[in-house]
Every structure is written in structure tokens, then in C-alpha cells.
Amino acid sequence: MKATQGLPLPNATFRFSGSIRVMADASFIEEDEDCPQLIPIEDISPKQDAKIPVTIITGYLGSAVEKSLAVSQGGELYEEWLELRNGCLCCSVKDNGLKAIENLMQKKGKFDYILLETTGLADPGVVASMFWVDAELGSDIYLDGIVSVVDAKYGLQHLTEEKADGLINEAARQIAVADLIIINKTDLVPQDKLDSLKTAVRSINGFVKLLETQKSRVDLSNVLDLHSFDKLSGKSLQETLRHVETTHPHLDKSIVTVTFEVPGSIIEEHLNMFIQTLLWEKNVKDRTGNVMEVIRLKGLVSLKSKMQQVIVQGVHELYDLEETLVNWEKDAERTNRLVFIGRHLDKDILKQLFTSTTLESTS
């Protein structure tokens, strides 16, 4: 994805697990009885423009079994790890993390996927932003999706942890930006507790897909080739957005999902004004005076003079617009569907601001 719509990242660092897992193919085996088993899949869809997909995998402390994976390639074990000795990726300079990924591009043909695993306290949204601001990386790889693992036994406890100065805790942020949530260790909790956790997760992110697992066992076809951030998701995204509903707070100071639909076609410049007011200026408030904090933005919009449906993607301050492969049907009513995930969000205020900025100013 391009970074033409985004602000530069602030001078800050975020924690990274210190390794990049490189997948040679889709066949995995266990090294021992405790190793999570990734079930083989027979077919993997063609790569987008020969670029290599990157999947960001995160999960709050202790949510997954931390064991290395062995890869079977033509009957032989194949495994490659790139170690980041200082454990950090820096947003302001190209340090070991970015260089490590760039070095991978010199080995094209030896692997099919990059799995970027963060530490348990990382904000995956910041990691994802790296692929929007670095033009060199964007020419060789693309962000496929963000996967967050949630501990079935301690998930609710993690989500209710209080942070200083009213900040959002890491577990909630990881759920908010995820495209796929894997609730792990479901065998350790009764069904009622699992249901409560799922309700809490859904109240935060009403858009996300949920998978329930034990010992981190998951079918690769459910994790890879999500196409959550590119034009190939256009058709499926249109159907998915129809079923996303505005959620209500389930936990104190919790994040919620807000969605609305406004018919008509808009001008791209006016859409940029709306998003930048919300994400950059950060002066849009709810009815009680709290500033709305958007963590994730996703939607399909109709831009004037464009036949294709356009995807809107946003993570923190960065956002992007990309034409999909899906055209608006001739003579059909065009519409704009948007989903916001964040804190202090007010649906009515957001919808009114969108309408006044993008539609009323088009006359």
C-alpha cells in the first residue's frame, strides 16, 4: 500500500519479537508434542503482482505456545530466522528490522510468506504502518493481514487492566486493529466464560473474524491470503460491511465499533478532508467532550468519476485509498460504507461530519 495519504510516523520505537519467520511452503510439521501444529493446505492462491505477503502476528503475553516451527520443503527441513538483536524496530530510521526485511528481498524464490511476530506488548498497528511509509518495501511486499491471538483463560483479565493516564491497554489495541482473532486455549475454560470473552472481543472489533483453537493449532488457509489491505478484498469487503453493526461498550473505557452508510458519490479531496480532520487534527469530540480516538478505519466509498469501488484503510494516523477490481453496477445507487474502531466514538456525530464534509460541499 502507498503512504501518500499518511503522516510521517513519530520519533518513537516499538517492541518487536526479534525474529522474522520465513515460510518456504505451506507444509508444517511438529518438532515435538508441544509444538503448535499448522495443518497443511493443498493450494495457495496466486501472489499479488509477484509481491510477497506479510502477515503480522501478535498476542498478549502468554496467549500462544512459543515454539519454533520446522518447514518441510521437498522432504527436507527448511527453516530460516532473522534475528533482530536489539529487539526493536525504529520508526524514524532504517535499523536492523527494516534492513532485515529488505535483505529478504534478495532471496526471492526461496520463500512464499513473511510472518512478522511481535512481542506480547506490541501495538501491531505501528508495525503495520511501517509498510505504508517505506516505498522500497512496498515495491516488493504487501501487508496481507493482522492476526491477534487472545488467551481464552486470561483474556478478560487482560482487557480490563488499567493503564496510567487512561491509556488503552495493549490487549485491547491488539484486538482493535486485527483482521483475524484466534482465541487460543479454549480447552481451559468453561463455555460461559468463553462466550463472555467472545462478547467482549466483538464489542471492541465488530468487523473481525473469530477462530477458536487449542494449543495454537490452526488451518493455514484461515490465516494466510487474507488480502485485508489490498484491492483483491473489494468484493468480499462489500458483503462483509453489510453485516457489521455498531457495538456498545462491554467493558469500562472500552473500544467500540461504529459503522454507518451514506448514499451518493463524493469527491476524493473532500473525503481526505474528513479523514484528516478525524485522524490528524484529532479535534472531533463526542457529546461529553471527549476527543474521538480512531484506531482502525475501513470502508468502501464511491468517488465521483470513478467506476471502481474504492477501499479506505486507516491505522492510527496513516490511511490510504485504493481502487478495487469491482465496478459499481450501472444504474445502481452508489453508497459509502465506513467502519471505525476506537474510543469515545459517536455514530451520529461521525455520520453528520462525513455528510457535511463530503456531500454537502459537493454542490
Side-chain angles (χ1 to χ4, degrees), residues 139-158:
S139 64
D140 293 313
I141 63 180
Y142 68 95
L143 182 59
D144 185 57
I146 300 174
V147 179
S148 293
V149 183
V150 176
D151 190 314
K153 187 173 183 179
Y154 298 105
L156 283 175
Q157 176 182 324
H158 296 156

Side-chain angles (χ1 to χ4, degrees), residues 9-47:
L9 289 173
N11 292 326
T13 60
F14 54 93
R15 286 287 152 190
F16 188 68
S17 65
S19 61
I20 301 172
R21 301 183 182 185
V22 182
M23 298 174 55
D25 59 21
S27 301
F28 284 76
I29 63 172
E30 290 183 318
E31 289 189 5
D32 55 52
E33 292 182 354
D34 295 327
C35 180
Q37 178 185 9
L38 297 183
I39 303 171
I41 56 177
E42 297 298 329
D43 181 48
I44 296 180
S45 61
K47 305 299 181 293

Side-chain angles (χ1 to χ4, degrees), residues 25 46 57 63 73 78 82 91 114 119 125 173 180 188 200 206 219 261 276 285 290 298 300 318 333-334 347 361:
D25 59 21
I57 302 179
S63 59
Q73 182 184 42
Y78 178 88
L82 293 182
C91 302
I114 297 176
T119 62
R173 281 190 179 275
L180 171 67
L188 301 183
D219 191 323
E261 179 176 351
Q276 291 167 14
K285 299 180 180 180
N290 295 308
K298 199 161 191 173
L300 277 175
L318 295 181
E333 183 182 41
R334 294 193 180 193
K347 176 179 177 177
S361 57

Side-chain angles (χ1 to χ4, degrees), residues 14 36 79 102 107 124 135 168 184 189 206 209 264 273 287 319 325 327 339:
F14 54 93
E79 183 176 15
E102 290 172 345
K107 302 181 181 182
I168 300 172
N184 191 32
V189 296
K209 179 181 178 181
M273 290 172 55
R287 303 181 191 190
Y319 76 97
L325 302 179
N327 288 341
V339 176

Side-chain angles (χ1 to χ4, degrees), residues 207 237-238 240-242 244-246 257-263 266 270-272 274-275 278 294 296-303 310-314 319-321 335-341 345 347 350-355 358:
F207 182 86
L237 180 60
Q238 182 185 44
T240 302
L241 289 179
R242 289 195 181 104
V244 179
E245 298 180 356
T246 295
T257 297
V258 165
T259 181
F260 60 78
E261 179 176 351
V262 175
I266 59 179
H270 297 159
L271 176 62
N272 287 330
F274 166 75
I275 297 176
L278 193 61
V294 177
R296 183 80 187 266
L297 162 64
K298 199 161 191 173
L300 277 175
V301 296
S302 172
L303 298 183
V310 176
I311 289 180
V312 181
Q313 289 274 9
Y319 76 97
D320 189 39
L321 308 177
T335 189
N336 307 276
R337 296 186 182 93
L338 294 173
V339 176
F340 303 85
I341 301 174
L345 302 184
K347 176 179 177 177
L350 284 172
K351 186 175 182 179
Q352 192 279 329
L353 178 63
F354 177 85
T355 301
T358 63

Side-chain angles (χ1 to χ4, degrees), residues 80 90 111 138 159 170 194 207-208 213 220-221 236 255 261 280 356 359:
E80 182 167 351
C90 182
F111 55 92
L159 290 174
E170 294 84 357
L194 179 60
F207 182 86
V208 74
T213 65
L220 278 179
S221 62
S236 60
I255 305 167
E261 179 176 351
W280 295 4
S356 62
L359 291 180

